């Protein structure tokens, strides 16, 4: 397939979205390595950059978070994969609005370039974190990078909101309006359910983020005081103009920020369900329940944002309410996990299975996703307790939690999707040996990087300190642990070079893929686009006479019987 | 074939269309299973009279749902900021919120905007009158365009009048000493909410101009219908948003 600019073909746009995320993840990873190296050798000058100042460290934190969350974990699983396969999975030819899809890609690219430009303006990138809490973010004089850098951050995220908004409109219109005849709600692949829910979340929450950005911009440049508190003192000058409330920003931001986590991880959950069914050669037990639980996670995800704010001065009674909703979200998540485990370990109701699941690279990465989703998920209810959170909130425990459950689970599901759908992008399979090597090195590196962070966090290591030992603070006891984390992070990043090599090598020289190389049942693998009414479910596998039979959705049920 | 609103009484009253015969009274849908009846086999976008229209309406609906959340966020910020304050040295709770009396010209603007929604709706309905649509579809002139265009021009004028009225309201506030950056949070919200809504309406006017041009440029009648229909729904939504925002600014200070 020829890669052409300004195309409106959904699959090429999907590839472009994924390339955008790939470029971003490379930059974001480099930034995180700089941070890791700085944490263990804070006084060693780095090549090219020289000695990192404390504010540079904060700028790295901000840009790493913003790049990864918006341009990798939001784009790749949702609009990237949806552009790639959503139309085919529901039996359509293209997205509902192909040109809108292209527009939203180019706006996302513009947003990325504007964000990266923040590195090159005077005083550099913003330092207020990906959450941009005021008053730090509201007053240009509050710190280096909070002037032009912060303005570029705001412009970039504003553009990104617009791009996601358009993409979500497109995905929703596609799912609701473009399904082929017979593609009923219970015949949708689980990925489509996930995209449906994440798109609804995107519509609801990115608009709120945009409103918050407009208010913050107005505070910075138009002299208002929505977020700047009275008597706010910066460098000996009172800059507070009225009774603005930083807490208002936190509410608006986390009303976006928490569902954002589900936007990043729900497509991975849908994909994992599909992959487990595909490679365990079985149906999805309780399909309706699994789909309903995805919806429940999405809906509950809209009412838990306050658990990010237990230590922000929010009313403690509100904290109790948010603790309850947050713990409630563990219920549908657990149902999903139990559903996956039963798919992997129990035989199908009707029969025995002969050989157990197969484990090609996409399946391995889906299992890796599961391991991080469970391990990161288990610390969720711990952090949902306001009492525990008040100790843990500003420590590395939280960093460990969200890197496990969102960053690593999200990344592993993206890898699973790329290995799985690579034949659709290039007509070739990715190299299986390199893929497995990549998986095992990555999972060792990822666990080695993020699991020990829990221990550092429990020992009290603060999240935003640029160095562990110094005149004011001393965490010399955990420096050894930190060295281990840094080595594991370098190891993890190095393992990704195998992936990069594999992608670019396999795209040109990989083994040509058969039609439907994974023997899947969902429609994106249909060898011919012309087929009639859908009358099969998404995951119809069975065993008869020790032989594996599967019924793709593009085959008619009536024709065979 | 494009979508129409079927109105039998009108159809019956118009005995003579002037093109040689009256339209048939009983509608004969094709069917029977033969020929090219299965719309599913046709290329996307040509499967039945309402396929494209429904698609675009869905898109506009979802985009406006997101837009609603944008305004909901602003309105909730309004209420939060209104109740914000601090304790002074004597432990008194003081708030810097002073209610703003909205300029009375806003009432006239609101009436103009409601009127513009009416004209827009009349224009939209012209595009779906069965007889006119059939005429256009058969290539017998553009009666629907001719009927709708004046109403769209009227909407354009009324919309511009509304924006001019908002500008006058700002001028009046400035004369009273309320600027965007005056210390009152209520005046920030007034300027911000009217400004953001004004930008939305400006986009609506641009869409209206585009639809007006599209009526003469677009060759497929379905696309002409879509251009006017989607603009109209956007316009109505902005009208409804404004009524709520105006009520907020006028009565909930």
């Amino acid at each position: 397939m020829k890669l052409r600019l300004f195309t409106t073909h959904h699959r090429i746009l999907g590839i472009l979205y994924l390339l955008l995320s790939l470029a971003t993840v490379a930059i974001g990873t480099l930034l995180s390595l700089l941070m890791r190296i700085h944490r263990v050798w804070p006084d060693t000058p780095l090549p090219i950059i020289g000695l990192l100042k404390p504010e540079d460290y904060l700028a790295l934190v901000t840009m790493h978070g913003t790049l990864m969350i918006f341009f990798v974990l939001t784009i790749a699983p949702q609009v990237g994969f949806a552009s790639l396969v959503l139309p085919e999975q529901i039996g359509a030819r293209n997205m509902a609005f192909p040109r809108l899809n292209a527009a939203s890609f180019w706006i996302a690219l513009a947003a990325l370039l504007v964000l990266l430009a923040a590195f090159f303006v005077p005083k550099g990138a913003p330092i207020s974190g990906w959450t941009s809490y005021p008053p730090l973010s509201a007053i240009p004089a509050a710190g280096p990078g909070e002037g032009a850098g912060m303005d570029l951050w705001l412009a970039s995220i504003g553009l990104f909101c617009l791009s996601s908004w358009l993409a979500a409109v497109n995905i929703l219109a596609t799912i609701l309006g473009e399904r082929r005849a017979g593609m009923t709600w219970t015949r949708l692949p689980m990925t489509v359910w996930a995209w449906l829910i994440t798109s609804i979340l995107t519509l609801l929450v990115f608009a709120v983020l945009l409103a918050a950005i407009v208010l913050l911009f107005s505070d910075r440049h138009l002299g208002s005081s929505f977020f700047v508190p009275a008597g706010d003192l910066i460098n000996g000058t009172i800059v507070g103009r009225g009774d603005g409330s930083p807490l208002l920003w936190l509410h608006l931001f986390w009303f976006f920020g928490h569902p954002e986590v589900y936007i990043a991880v729900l497509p991975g959950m849908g994909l994992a369900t599909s992959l487990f069914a595909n490679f365990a050669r079985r149906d999805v037990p309780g399909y309706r329940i699994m789909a309903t639980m995805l919806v429940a996670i999405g809906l509950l995800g809209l009412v838990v944002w306050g658990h990010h704010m237990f230590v922000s001065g929010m009313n403690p009674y509100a904290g109790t309410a948010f603790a309850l909703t947050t713990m409630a979200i563990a219920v549908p998540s657990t149902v999903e996990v139990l559903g996956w485990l039963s798919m992997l370990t129990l035989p199908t109701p009707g029969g025995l299975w002969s050989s157990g699941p197969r484990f090609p690279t996409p399946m391995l990465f889906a299992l890796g996703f599961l391991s991080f989703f469970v391990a990161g998920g288990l610390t969720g209810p711990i952090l949902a307790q306001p009492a525990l959170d008040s100790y843990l909130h500003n420590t590395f425990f939280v960093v460990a939690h969200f890197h496990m459950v969102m960053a690593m689970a999200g990344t592993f599901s993206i890898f699973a999707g790329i290995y799985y759908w690579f034949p659709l992008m290039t007509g070739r399979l990715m190299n299986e040996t390199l893929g497995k090597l990549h998986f095992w090195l990555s999972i060792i590196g990822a666990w080695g990087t993020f699991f020990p962070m829990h221990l550092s966090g429990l020992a009290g290591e603060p999240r935003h300190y640029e160095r562990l030992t110094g005149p004011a603070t001393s965490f010399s006891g955990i420096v050894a642990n930190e060295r281990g984390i840094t080595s594991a992070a370098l190891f993890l990043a190095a393992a990704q070079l195998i992936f990069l090599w594999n992608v670019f090598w396999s795209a040109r020289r990989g083994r040509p893929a058969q039609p439907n190389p994974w023997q899947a049942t969902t429609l994106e693998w249909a060898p011919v686009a012309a087929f009639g009414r859908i009358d099969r479910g998404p995951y119809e596998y069975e065993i008869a006479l020790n032989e594996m039979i599967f019924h793709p959705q593009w085959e008619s049920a009536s024709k065979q019987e | 074939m494009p979508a129409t609103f079927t109105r039998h009484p009108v159809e019956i009253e118009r005995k003579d269309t002037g093109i040689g015969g009256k339209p048939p009274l009983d509608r004969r849908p094709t069917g029977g299973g033969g020929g090219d009846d299965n719309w599913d086999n046709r290329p996307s976008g040509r499967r039945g009279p309402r396929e494209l229209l429904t698609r675009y309406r869905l898109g506009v609906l979802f985009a406006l749902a997101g837009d609603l959340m944008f305004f909901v966020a602003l309105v909730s910020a309004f209420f939060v900021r209104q109740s914000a304050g601090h304790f002074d040295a004597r432990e008194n709770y003081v708030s810097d919120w002073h209610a703003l009396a909205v300029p009375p010209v806003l009432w006239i603007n609101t009436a103009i905007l409601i009127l513009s929604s009416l004209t827009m709706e009349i224009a939209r309905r012209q595009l779906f009158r069965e007889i006119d649509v059939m005429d256009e579809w058969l290539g017998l002139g553009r009666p629907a365009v001719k009927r709708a265009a004046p109403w769209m021009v009227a909407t354009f004028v009324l919309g511009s009048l509304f924006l001019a009225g908002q500008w006058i309201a700002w001028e009046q506030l400035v004369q009273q000493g309320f600027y965007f950056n005056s210390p009152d949070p209520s005046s920030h919200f007034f300027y911000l909410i009217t400004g953001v809504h004004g930008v939305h309406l400006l986009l609506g006017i641009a869409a209206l101009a585009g639809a007006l041009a599209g009526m003469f440029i677009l060759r497929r009648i379905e696309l002409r219908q879509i251009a006017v229909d989607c603009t109209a729904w956007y316009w109505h939504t902005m009208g409804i948003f404004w009524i709520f925002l105006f009520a907020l600014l006028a009565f909930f200070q």
Side-chain angles (χ1 to χ4, degrees), chain B residues 27-38:
Chain B
R27 290 150 47 79
R28 291 171 202 273
T30 57
D36 196 19
D37 271 355
N38 190 353

Side-chain angles (χ1 to χ4, degrees), chain A residues 48-379:
Chain A
I48 305 169
I49 316 162
L51 199 62
L52 275 186
K53 296 192 288 293
E55 58 265 32
D56 296 337
Y57 179 81
L58 291 179
L60 289 178
V61 173
T62 306
M63 295 298 271
H64 168 77
T66 311
L67 285 169
M68 293 299 207
I69 286 173
F70 287 102
F71 294 93
V72 181
L73 290 170
T74 308
I75 282 198
Q78 198 199 359
V79 62
F81 284 151
S83 283
L84 196 66
V85 294
L86 167 65
E88 269 101 4
Q89 282 198 333
I90 58 172
R93 294 258 168 84
N94 205 336
M95 301 291 277
F97 307 109
R99 278 183 223 150
L100 198 66
N101 197 11
S104 102
F105 168 77
W106 291 106
I107 297 173
L109 181 65
L112 176 65
L113 294 178
V114 170
L115 184 66
L116 290 177
F119 276 119
F120 303 103
V121 292
K123 295 199 176 172
I127 60 168
S128 43
W130 87 278
T131 54
S132 288
Y133 283 179
L136 186 52
S137 61
I139 310 291
E146 292 304 293
M150 188 64 208
D151 284 331
L152 286 174
W153 189 92
L154 285 178
S156 164
I157 301 307
L159 283 173
F160 191 88
C161 289
L162 188 63
S163 162
S164 316
W165 194 341
L166 299 179
V169 165
N170 208 343
I171 292 174
L172 280 174
T174 308
I175 296 177
L176 285 161
E178 305 296 306
R179 278 170 295 139
R180 186 173 287 257
M183 183 52 97
T184 56
W185 290 105
T186 50
R187 289 182 186 146
L188 292 177
M190 207 57 85
T191 42
V192 178
W193 274 103
W195 287 321
L196 178 74
I197 300 154
T198 54
S199 300
I200 294 171
L201 290 181
T202 304
L203 270 193
L204 295 179
V205 302
F206 268 94
V208 173
L209 178 64
L210 187 60
I213 282 176
V214 169
L215 294 177
L216 188 56
F217 180 85
S218 154
D219 267 8
R220 290 170 59 82
H221 295 291
L222 302 174
S224 58
S225 63
F226 300 114
F227 303 128
V228 186
D232 186 31
L233 192 70
I234 283 177
N235 289 339
T237 343
I238 291 183
V239 295
R241 288 172 292 255
D243 285 319
S245 162
L247 208 56
L248 173 60
W249 167 269
L250 267 68
H251 277 294
L252 293 174
F253 184 86
W254 286 115
F255 183 80
F256 148 78
H258 195 82
E260 164 71 13
V261 173
Y262 293 105
I263 292 169
V265 87
L266 277 173
M269 297 169 73
L271 177 60
T273 315
S274 275
L275 291 189
F276 292 154
N278 190 167
F279 294 115
R281 318 299 300 163
R282 59 161 300 157
D283 62 328
V284 173
Y287 174 93
R288 280 161 193 261
I289 295 175
M290 294 286 271
T292 314
M293 289 303 124
L294 284 184
V295 179
I297 292 174
L299 291 180
L300 278 174
L302 285 169
V303 292
V304 300
W305 77 89
H307 69 224
H308 296 269
M309 302 161 57
F310 288 148
V311 295
S312 66
M314 186 175 66
N315 187 326
Y317 292 111
T320 310
F322 283 119
L324 285 174
T325 53
T326 306
M327 283 183 280
I329 215 166
V331 176
S333 311
T334 309
V335 173
E336 291 285 328
V337 170
L338 292 178
W340 295 328
L341 292 179
S342 74
M343 288 171 80
L344 294 170
T345 53
L346 299 179
T348 50
L352 307 162
W353 66 16
S354 46
S355 53
R358 305 169 188 176
F359 295 102
T361 313
M363 179 68 162
L364 289 179
F365 273 100
L367 289 170
F369 159 82
L370 180 57
S371 80
F372 287 110
F373 188 76
V374 171
L378 283 177
T379 49

Side-chain angles (χ1 to χ4, degrees), chain B:
Chain B
M1 188 187 133
T4 56
F5 295 152
T6 306
R7 285 217 167 63
H8 285 288
V10 179
E11 220 176 321
I12 297 162
E13 280 159 26
R14 284 182 59 176
K15 298 264 187 224
D16 190 4
T17 55
I19 52 168
K22 59 185 180 181
L25 290 184
D26 56 330
R27 290 150 47 79
R28 291 171 202 273
T30 57
D36 196 19
D37 271 355
N38 190 353
W39 281 335
D40 289 340
N41 294 337
R42 298 208 200 156
S44 167
R46 293 181 182 275
R47 292 179 195 137
R50 288 186 171 266
E51 193 205 358
L52 267 187
L53 184 67
T54 312
R55 180 189 296 177
Y56 278 87
R57 277 181 176 173
L58 262 183
V60 169
L61 173 76
F62 288 129
L64 288 173
D67 211 20
L68 175 65
M69 285 307 289
F70 178 80
F71 282 104
V72 165
L74 287 185
V75 171
S76 55
F78 179 91
F79 286 117
V80 171
R81 186 67 185 81
Q82 194 177 38
S83 61
H86 66 276
F87 289 96
D88 69 1
R90 296 200 184 92
E91 298 276 322
N92 294 318
Y93 190 72
V94 287
S95 166
D96 61 348
W97 184 277
H98 300 107
L100 180 86
V102 296
V105 68
L106 287 191
W107 288 97
I108 302 172
N109 293 349
T110 309
I112 289 175
L113 198 61
I114 293 172
L115 203 61
S116 78
S117 245
L118 273 179
T119 55
M120 190 70 225
E121 181 61 15
I122 294 171
R124 188 184 77 81
R125 295 196 174 192
Q126 302 303 332
L127 265 287
F128 293 93
R129 282 167 60 97
E130 189 169 21
I131 287 193
D132 293 344
V133 169
M134 291 308 290
D135 276 1
E136 294 206 2
W137 188 56
L138 293 167
L140 306 170
R142 290 195 172 181
V145 171
K146 273 185 201 139
R147 282 170 193 272
W151 292 107
M152 292 179 69
V153 173
T155 315
F156 187 93
V157 171
L158 288 172
S160 312
L161 270 179
F162 172 83
L163 282 185
Q166 298 291 81
W167 186 262
I168 292 169
W170 286 359
E171 297 267 291
Q172 289 176 350
L173 274 185
V174 167
Q175 277 166 11
Q176 291 167 25
F178 289 102
Y179 303 94
F180 192 103
N181 57 359
S182 59
D184 262 307
S186 52
S187 83
H188 304 155
F189 272 108
F190 182 87
Y191 282 101
L192 194 80
I193 287 177
T194 51
V196 169
H197 180 268
V199 169
H200 275 87
L201 211 77
L202 208 59
L203 288 177
I205 287 180
L208 195 58
L212 204 53
M215 290 224 289
F216 298 96
I217 296 166
L218 294 172
R219 294 178 62 90
R220 274 177 75 187
I221 180 166
E222 289 97 324
L223 297 181
R224 298 201 286 272
Q225 287 180 331
I226 286 166
V228 177
D229 191 71
C230 291
T231 309
W233 290 122
Y234 179 85
W235 196 269
H236 295 331
T237 313
M238 286 312 131
I240 293 168
F241 282 4
W242 171 251
I243 290 170
F244 279 100
L245 294 173
F246 176 57
L248 173 83
L249 293 172
F251 303 115
F252 290 88
Q253 286 282 349

